[in-house]
Amino acid sequence: MNSGTVIFDPYLPWAVLGALGALMAALLLFAGARGLLGAWVRGLATAALLLALANPSLQEEDRSPLTDIVLVVVDETASQRISDRTEQTEAALEELSAEITARTNTELRVVRVGDGPGNAGTLLVAAMTEALSEIPQARLAGTILLSDGQVHDLGPMPNLPAPLHLLLTGREGDWDRRLVVKTAPAFGILGEEVELTVRIEDQGDVPAAAQGQVSLEIAVDGGEPFAVDVPVGRDITVPLSLDHGGMNVVQLTVPEAEGELTDRNNAAVVQINGVRDRLRVLLVSGEPHAGERTWRNLLKSDSAVDLVHFTILRPPEKQDGVPVSELSLIAFPTRELFLEKIDDFDLIIFDRYRRRGILPQIYLANIAQYVEAGGAVLVAAGPDFASANSIYRSPLADIIPGEPTARVIEEGFTPEISDVGNRHPVTAGLAPTNLAEGEAPWGRWFRLIEVEPMAGEVVMTGPGDRPLLMLDRVGEGRVALLASDHAWLWSRGYEGGGPQLELLRRLAHWMMKEPELEEEALTATAEGQTMTITRRALTDGEREVTVIGPDGVETVVPLTEIAPGRWSAEFTGAEPGLYRLSDGELDAVVGLGPSAPREFEETLASGEKLAAAVDATRGGVLALENGVPRLRDVGEGRNAAGRGWIGLTPREAALTTDLRISPLIAAWLFLALVALLTIAAWLREGRRSTPKAG
């Protein structure tokens, strides 16, 4: 396509030409006023001279027409995959593509928008803006959005030179029900109620049969759910009690009603960390010794521990005639502690305690039952444990994992961690790894009570590989036996000391069933849609976990050993919700994604959010339920939508491929014309001045 245009490239600035023109016009007017016959001819000569100085040229262009571009943005987020919206979208896209392709000089560009990162929702405007940045505005004939209209990145819209249209998926009679968790605590105190505030909302054209109260099902850690009837459209407080420490996964579900759009927003997963309010510890010490204060200092240093400490200084057989009222010690409330309130304690510690008749056999038997029912007992043994008055010679023998041989070994030795201990969370990683050859990891101890292992695991050893620290599970409870009373040497820094505080802290927390110290555990922590699976075990072997998603699909995930007794792997879930894990021995649950995915907060199709942007370009919002609209050409700035049609604005853009500039009139021709006009003016004026013949 060729086109020509006259342009001017003056030899003198336009201001100078204007001044010359004004001066010459003034002179011509003066000459005309004086009656000079050749004035008009001189005027023509002057005009020809000024035109020559303006240098008129002919600019010719060779132009190649460019196609108009129609941008179609297709919403493929999660809310577009409910009901038949995907089919609606694809059918509309196919019909629009065929119609646009059939148009002359028109190009179609399609941009598909998936789910935003994390819980960002539908980022339709950002995707449209990015696509428009790659399209010249002079070629954009229109933008068409295929979406349910539920976008989550509304903000400043791009400047559109052509109409913007929204074609809505969905149906006029759609309705949906969703479960909203309005408030949920991040942590809760074990044994105390925590409260969740939830609300069940109905949206759209709700049928009469679905109105009224609905059943809300609640399950903790994937267990058997219990149901309560709750009203719709009101905030409901749900009280819960946490049964164990660590992460508690609570799943709330409302059964799917007939005809609602989706059940994806009928469930929510809330994760609440269970913590202990106060740890109640009973410390019963025998004869005072150097290590007694080690236990007391450890327990008193933890502000979450309520410590009850009794030291048995005055045995019943001691008769010295001192009146009881003059003694500084209070009476030992044995019945209250070991019968009436024993279940109030989380841990009982016997520190070098031996039988002196203060605790009757029935009380010791009650302690054994306390352990069976879920309590914890720690025996820190001294020489008394090997004597005839050992507490092992009592009903406690049924729960203590080691039997004393009556031998007390008093020689220097360095405590060592056993093979099992390297895997057990209580002792794993205690020993330093950057030791020089032959260097001891910590200071020596000088007393060991020899015991024969009867149950449990030996996690630390003394001289001759003899048991030093034994751990055992008895019924629902736990028992630990420390076969030495020399841990205090580490706290005094003897020969460099050792990790006595860390060891005793781990030991106490393992006995109180803290989840992070479980030796046999399957756990999963979530970050977004990715979970980190951890399996701890005391035995070797390859490990794998079966992950069951919210849709029931099972995936086998192999685990990699990252430390002795610890295996791990990462797994990314395809969708948010509750995931169940099992390795054949242990089970676990974890919630991935937000408790309420943003994509399903508003599931009804609506053009309200984009109406302002569409109206600004005089476009239209039409429902695909009524059919795919026809395409029409409309002028720029004209109304671009109507009943059953939407408009595109032809742009007629072109690309210049060649440019030529040539003088409109040759310079010599201008010179000749000016000369001829000047001679004509001279002749005309000379004829007037010639006298008539008489």
Side-chain angles (χ1 to χ4, degrees):
M1 180 176 67
N2 297 327
S3 64
T5 306
V6 176
I7 63 173
F8 293 90
D9 185 17
Y11 294 111
L12 297 175
W14 284 109
V16 175
L17 288 178
L20 290 175
L23 177 62
M24 291 181 178
L27 292 174
L28 289 173
L29 288 174
F30 177 75
R34 297 293 300 272
L36 191 62
L37 293 177
W40 63 274
V41 182
R42 290 181 181 275
L44 291 176
T46 301
L49 179 61
L50 291 175
L51 182 63
L53 292 175
N55 188 25
S57 303
L58 178 63
Q59 177 178 286
E60 295 181 293
E61 297 179 354
D62 291 340
R63 304 180 67 190
S64 175
L66 297 175
T67 58
D68 292 339
I69 297 176
V70 178
L71 175 64
V72 178
V73 182
V74 182
D75 183 355
E76 294 184 337
T77 55
S79 63
Q80 277 284 90
R81 296 194 289 271
I82 62 178
S83 187
D84 63 342
R85 294 180 183 178
T86 300
E87 291 75 12
Q88 278 186 308
T89 302
E90 291 303 322
L93 178 61
E94 183 178 353
E95 189 169 335
L96 287 172
S97 299
E99 190 169 355
I100 293 172
T101 304
R103 292 167 60 91
T104 58
N105 202 41
T106 306
E107 175 186 345
L108 171 66
R109 293 192 184 180
V110 178
V111 174
R112 298 180 181 269
V113 183
D115 294 319
N119 195 30
T122 302
L123 306 182
L124 193 71
V125 175
M128 179 180 69
T129 303
E130 183 178 355
L132 288 172
S133 67
E134 301 176 358
I135 299 175
Q137 285 203 347
R139 297 179 60 188
L140 183 66
T143 303
I144 303 173
L145 308 178
L146 297 177
S147 172
D148 57 7
Q150 299 295 355
V151 299
H152 302 106
D153 62 341
L154 285 177
M157 299 291 290
N159 184 25
L160 298 176
L164 171 66
H165 305 289
L166 172 61
L167 303 186
L168 280 175
T169 57
R171 307 286 177 181
E172 184 177 357
D174 285 345
W175 76 279
D176 193 31
R177 171 171 292 158
R178 73 182 184 118
L179 172 66
V180 182
V181 178
K182 304 200 74 175
T183 61
F187 66 91
I189 305 300
L190 295 184
E192 296 184 8
E193 281 192 349
V194 295
E195 292 184 347
L196 284 71
T197 303
V198 301
R199 184 184 182 95
I200 299 171
E201 294 181 348
D202 285 347
Q203 303 171 343
D205 189 9
V206 184
Q211 298 177 8
Q213 288 195 330
V214 298
S215 177
L216 174 64
E217 296 181 351
I218 305 170
V220 180
D221 291 335
E224 190 68 24
F226 62 92
V228 292
D229 291 334
V230 298
V232 176
R234 288 172 48 191
D235 290 352
I236 305 299
T237 299
V238 179
L240 292 174
S241 181
L242 305 182
D243 296 328
H244 63 83
M247 196 59 67
N248 292 258
V249 182
V250 181
Q251 185 178 26
L252 305 131
T253 307
V254 176
E256 182 179 7
E258 183 178 356
E260 69 170 308
L261 276 176
T262 179
D263 63 349
R264 289 287 303 277
N265 52 6
N266 289 29
V269 176
V270 177
Q271 302 187 83
I272 306 174
N273 191 25
V275 297
R276 297 178 184 271
D277 181 19
R278 308 290 294 177
L279 303 177
R280 299 204 64 196
V281 179
L282 174 60
L283 174 60
V284 182
S285 300
E287 297 178 0
H289 67 104
E292 180 180 359
R293 187 161 294 276
T294 299
W295 287 107
R296 184 177 179 85
N297 289 344
L298 165 69
L299 297 169
K300 293 296 288 184
S301 65
D302 191 340
S303 60
V305 172
D306 283 339
L307 177 64
V308 178
H309 184 193
F310 285 94
T311 301
I312 310 301
L313 297 176
R314 183 182 176 88
E317 67 270 14
K318 183 176 180 61
Q319 301 293 333
D320 53 10
V322 179
V324 175
S325 61
E326 296 181 11
L327 293 175
S328 61
L329 299 180
I330 64 173
F332 193 2
T334 54
R335 179 177 179 83
E336 182 181 5
L337 293 178
F338 295 102
L339 282 182
E340 298 174 0
K341 294 187 176 181
I342 187 172
D343 292 332
D344 293 343
F345 291 101
D346 298 296
L347 173 63
I348 298 175
I349 302 176
F350 288 103
D351 177 30
R352 285 193 56 170
Y353 177 78
R354 64 188 176 97
R355 294 184 299 115
R356 289 177 165 180
I358 295 178
L359 295 181
Q361 295 285 78
I362 189 173
Y363 288 3
L364 296 175
N366 196 42
I367 294 174
Q369 294 175 7
Y370 154 81
V371 173
E372 293 275 357
V377 167
L378 168 61
V379 178
D384 50 85
F385 190 71
S387 69
N389 292 325
S390 170
I391 60 172
Y392 187 83
R393 318 299 176 185
S394 72
L396 293 181
D398 295 335
I399 64 170
I400 296 177
E403 179 181 3
T405 64
R407 182 183 178 190
V408 178
I409 301 173
E410 295 191 346
E411 63 180 60
F413 67 92
T414 301
E416 295 182 356
I417 298 176
S418 66
D419 291 339
V420 172
N422 283 323
R423 298 175 173 276
H424 202 290
V426 170
T427 49
L430 277 180
T433 57
N434 55 347
L435 295 175
E437 186 176 355
E439 182 182 359
W442 38 56
R444 291 178 297 166
W445 294 1
F446 291 90
R447 181 182 292 150
L448 177 73
I449 314 305
E450 186 177 63
V451 295
E452 287 290 337
M454 305 298 293
E457 306 289 344
V458 177
V459 297
M460 292 185 71
T461 60
D465 207 27
R466 294 180 177 88
L468 175 60
L469 177 60
M470 301 181 64
L471 307 177
D472 190 22
R473 294 169 179 255
V474 180
E476 297 297 322
R478 305 189 180 188
V479 179
L481 172 61
L482 181 60
S484 176
D485 58 347
H486 276 195
W488 63 272
L489 289 172
W490 280 356
S491 65
R492 298 286 180 86
Y494 179 75
E495 293 185 346
Q500 79 289 343
L501 288 180
E502 178 64 15
L503 172 62
L504 300 182
R505 185 197 67 82
R506 290 191 194 181
L507 184 58
H509 284 272
W510 174 82
M511 301 189 70
M512 290 182 284
K513 303 178 183 178
E514 293 297 323
E516 65 271 13
L517 288 169
E518 291 293 305
E519 69 273 28
E520 293 287 341
L522 175 62
T523 60
T525 57
E527 184 174 347
Q529 287 295 114
T530 300
M531 70 175 78
T532 301
I533 304 170
T534 302
R535 176 68 164 96
R536 290 195 297 268
L538 299 181
T539 57
D540 287 326
E542 296 182 355
R543 303 277 175 172
E544 62 182 22
V545 170
T546 300
V547 180
I548 306 173
D551 53 2
V553 175
E554 297 186 4
T555 305
V556 177
V557 180
L559 304 180
T560 302
E561 188 170 11
I562 59 174
R566 187 175 179 184
W567 292 259
S568 182
E570 286 191 351
F571 175 79
T572 300
E575 58 183 278
L578 186 70
Y579 285 75
R580 301 175 185 270
L581 295 79
S582 176
D583 68 345
E585 299 177 9
L586 299 175
D587 300 321
V589 294
V590 65
L592 292 188
S595 60
R598 198 174 184 186
E599 273 294 310
F600 297 101
E601 289 180 358
E602 298 173 291
T603 55
L604 299 184
S606 172
E608 292 183 5
K609 294 182 178 180
L610 292 168
V614 171
D615 292 343
T617 64
R618 312 201 69 172
V621 178
L622 287 80
L624 288 175
E625 181 183 12
N626 300 324
V628 180
R630 304 181 307 277
L631 300 180
R632 291 185 184 177
D633 287 343
V634 296
E636 188 172 353
R638 303 291 299 274
N639 184 37
R643 186 179 181 85
W645 66 273
I646 55 176
L648 302 177
T649 301
R651 308 298 291 171
E652 298 181 357
L655 176 67
T656 300
T657 59
D658 190 20
L659 179 66
R660 299 181 300 277
I661 299 177
S662 57
L664 187 64
I665 301 176
W668 65 268
L669 187 57
F670 270 117
L671 181 61
L673 179 60
V674 171
L676 288 174
L677 290 173
T678 302
I679 293 173
W682 177 71
L683 291 175
R684 176 69 173 164
E685 293 169 357
R687 186 179 304 165
R688 178 184 178 186
S689 60
T690 303
K692 294 182 180 180

